[in-house]
Amino acid sequence: MGKLYDRLANDIRIKEWLKACINCGTCVSICPAAEFYKYNPKTIVNIVQSQDDEQIEALLKSETIWD
């Protein structure tokens, strides 16, 4: 695990939400932002679950996470 993921892993939202994700895609179908923007919550979850600091850092620096 990388340093960024380690910091994220201490957040209660990661323990309660992200680790509970089974990648079903329901979040994408009900997300109001996904309807109007190129925003895909599932992609964000997959990147964070990968525990790859380079991908997480790129995500945080991109516009995607802030849409």
Side-chain angles (χ1 to χ4, degrees):
M1 280 189 266
K3 292 179 183 179
L4 279 176
Y5 182 81
D6 289 343
R7 289 176 59 190
L8 289 171
N10 289 324
D11 189 308
I12 190 68
R13 291 168 289 194
I14 296 295
K15 293 175 184 169
E16 297 295 324
W17 175 71
L18 191 68
K19 291 192 177 200
C21 177
I22 59 170
N23 289 309
C24 66
T26 301
C27 60
V28 178
S29 64
I30 64 170
C31 179
E35 185 175 343
F36 299 104
Y37 303 101
K38 287 180 129 181
Y39 180 75
N40 187 332
K42 186 177 174 183
T43 301
I44 294 168
V45 169
N46 287 336
I47 290 171
V48 175
Q49 284 181 338
S50 75
Q51 302 180 15
D52 182 339
D53 270 357
E54 288 181 22
Q55 286 186 23
I56 294 170
E57 185 175 354
L59 177 66
L60 291 171
K61 289 180 178 179
S62 74
E63 292 296 318
T64 302
I65 191 80
W66 308 112
D67 284 344

